[in-house]
Amino acid sequence: MNHTTTVQEQIIYIIYGGKSTEHDISLKTACTVLQALDTQQNEVRPIYITRDGIWCSFGRLLTNRIELHDLILAPAHQDTARSMGEVIANDFSLPGKKVAFPLMHGANGEDGTIQGLLELLNIPYVGNGVLSAAVTLDKVISKQLLAQAGVNQVAYHFFDNRQWAEAQSGLLQHIEEQLGYPCYVKPASLGSSIGISRCFDRQQLISGINDALSYDTKVLIEREIVGREIQVAVMGNERPVASLPGEFIHNHAFFDFDSKYLDKQLQMSIPAQIEEHTLDEIRKIAIHAYQSHCCTGLARVDFFLDEGGFLYLNEINALPGFTNFSMYPVMWERTADITYAELINRLIAFAFERHASKQTLNYSKGEAHV
């Protein structure tokens, strides 16, 4: 991991915002990435998607000295594209070497939808493809894949809004008998700990399920594991590598949205202070999980380490927090001295590598006969 990557003379589309509960987080991520890009060596073109799903193009960014408020663009703003069709026609049709960097967390950005559009446009893009993006965001499908891959997980149960409406009593009884309290209720396809509840009794469980179903049509309920939350960064295509594992040092019983994003006292411990053989095992399992989900580019893999030293894989995040102070880039900085700007360059290089590989595929079946 001591090689360097140079990215020059190319168009980089930074796609952010979106019709998602994680819209504001996406703005922060995009701002940090844009500040790190060299606007002299690259033609950087921010693409903002409003909360209503309207696409807005800034055109070429002339400086990376921008702030968060600079990234919010009204659809009626003068001299901007004001629809997805205009952006595709005006921005994505430009000639030259180009790559997209989708920075939309959650629905419509992390679930394979934007990736599918970029595939249709035949534009290289950073991060996971359609399949891996979709299955990693859906926690239930991901858990089923991990089970097939032989990865240990926390006991869980899931159901959708129709089942909840028709069989509430039976579902509650099953959860109490099989999982017990406290347990966690989560929307199946959402990140940043939004819509998650820690429940100690039936009333809290009902309230938590109703809240989760306001964000998603499917919910996941998990047994609580008493222990530590360990994270590891993975990047690469066919030969992925894992960083040193890390953890946040905090006093929160429940590491919710406010704890993650508003607590100024959070401290990172990288590498996590655990035994060497456990560190090695975490990295090994993380790569195995990454490959079992057909991941490419990047992902963060999260674990629970219980008081007996037993590991449980919690989830795979295909678009982890990516500001310069987020765990994912910091783990790479402390593992291999990779700067934030260099990390972006490496991820862009992986995007070009994957795209080039796909261009070698045969999409015809011999010669056409008339």
Side-chain angles (χ1 to χ4, degrees):
M1 303 249 351
N2 57 2
H3 64 282
T4 59
T5 305
T6 302
V7 179
Q8 294 183 332
E9 300 301 330
Q10 60 196 0
I11 304 172
I12 306 177
Y13 304 99
I14 302 298
I15 309 173
Y16 63 96
K19 196 174 180 180
S20 167
T21 54
E22 299 178 74
H23 184 99
D24 290 337
I25 299 168
S26 175
L27 289 176
K28 293 179 181 179
T29 302
C31 188
T32 313
V33 170
L34 288 167
Q35 289 171 346
L37 288 172
D38 186 339
T39 54
Q40 304 304 311
Q41 296 292 336
N42 303 291
E43 181 175 339
V44 180
R45 304 182 76 89
I47 308 294
Y48 172 55
I49 304 176
T50 72
R51 295 179 188 275
D52 296 322
I54 300 172
W55 288 50
C56 306
S57 169
F58 283 76
R60 181 169 185 169
L61 190 68
L62 299 179
T63 176
N64 60 7
R65 299 179 67 177
I66 59 171
E67 301 298 333
L68 192 64
H69 60 81
D70 297 322
L71 300 183
I72 301 174
L73 190 64
H77 194 280
Q78 187 177 5
D79 299 327
T80 64
R82 293 179 292 278
S83 71
M84 183 171 70
E86 283 190 44
V87 171
I88 291 173
N90 298 340
D91 289 75
F92 288 110
S93 62
L94 293 170
K97 185 179 181 181
K98 48 196 171 186
V99 62
F101 200 154
L103 293 172
M104 298 155 58
H105 299 280
N108 300 314
E110 203 175 340
D111 58 1
T113 51
I114 189 69
Q115 290 80 7
L117 174 62
L118 294 169
E119 290 283 354
L120 290 173
L121 296 172
N122 198 31
I123 293 175
Y125 58 92
V126 172
N128 287 273
V130 176
L131 176 63
S132 51
V135 297
T136 52
L137 190 63
D138 189 317
K139 296 179 178 67
V140 173
I141 300 300
S142 177
K143 284 184 175 295
Q144 292 170 338
L145 284 175
L146 289 170
Q148 289 186 332
V151 177
N152 189 57
Q153 303 173 80
V154 177
Y156 69 94
H157 189 59
F158 70 93
F159 50 85
D160 60 28
N161 50 7
R162 180 191 61 79
Q163 293 170 307
W164 176 242
E166 296 177 356
Q168 183 175 128
S169 178
L171 290 170
L172 291 170
Q173 182 177 349
H174 178 84
I175 293 166
E176 291 172 334
E177 291 177 353
Q178 300 300 317
L179 304 181
Y181 298 109
C183 61
Y184 286 89
V185 180
K186 306 177 180 180
S189 301
L190 206 61
S192 298
S193 297
I194 296 172
I196 298 181
S197 302
R198 187 184 187 214
C199 306
F200 289 85
D201 56 40
R202 176 169 284 206
Q203 191 56 48
Q204 290 183 354
L205 179 58
I206 293 171
S207 177
I209 291 170
N210 288 330
D211 183 48
L213 285 173
S214 72
Y215 293 102
D216 200 350
T217 59
K218 184 167 58 178
V219 297
L220 175 71
I221 296 91
E222 295 176 328
R223 174 183 294 162
E224 180 175 74
I225 295 295
V226 178
R228 299 158 64 182
E229 296 182 47
I230 310 295
Q231 305 177 9
V232 62
V234 182
M235 69 172 168
N237 293 334
E238 286 81 9
R239 297 179 179 83
V241 291
S243 73
L244 291 170
E247 68 177 319
F248 282 110
I249 306 301
H250 60 87
N251 296 317
H252 301 283
F254 174 23
F255 202 34
D256 59 6
F257 180 90
D258 288 345
S259 303
K260 287 182 177 179
Y261 294 101
L262 302 179
D263 184 356
K264 304 299 183 182
Q265 305 301 315
L266 282 180
Q267 295 183 2
M268 296 180 185
S269 175
I270 305 170
Q273 299 304 301
I274 51 182
E275 295 182 5
E276 191 70 27
H277 70 88
T278 304
L279 287 175
D280 293 340
E281 185 68 9
I282 288 172
R283 299 173 84 174
K284 178 181 176 182
I285 297 173
I287 291 174
H288 178 52
Y290 186 90
Q291 293 177 317
S292 73
H293 284 64
C294 303
C295 290
T296 52
L298 78 160
R300 193 192 69 228
V301 186
D302 300 343
F303 293 84
F304 293 123
L305 179 63
D306 72 12
E307 295 174 323
F310 203 67
L311 281 171
Y312 302 82
L313 197 150
N314 179 25
E315 64 182 36
I316 303 175
N317 192 323
L319 182 58
F322 203 78
T323 64
N324 53 357
F325 55 82
S326 296
M327 180 67 87
Y328 184 92
V330 175
M331 281 192 284
W332 282 119
E333 181 182 11
R334 299 188 187 178
T335 298
D337 292 324
I338 301 173
T339 67
Y340 187 75
E342 172 61 15
L343 179 60
I344 292 172
N345 287 347
R346 292 194 185 202
L347 295 177
I348 288 174
F350 289 135
F352 282 123
E353 177 185 86
R354 181 184 62 194
H355 186 261
S357 177
K358 294 185 73 171
Q359 303 315 298
T360 65
L361 299 177
N362 185 3
Y363 291 98
S364 64
K365 186 179 179 181
E367 296 182 358
H369 298 280
V370 178

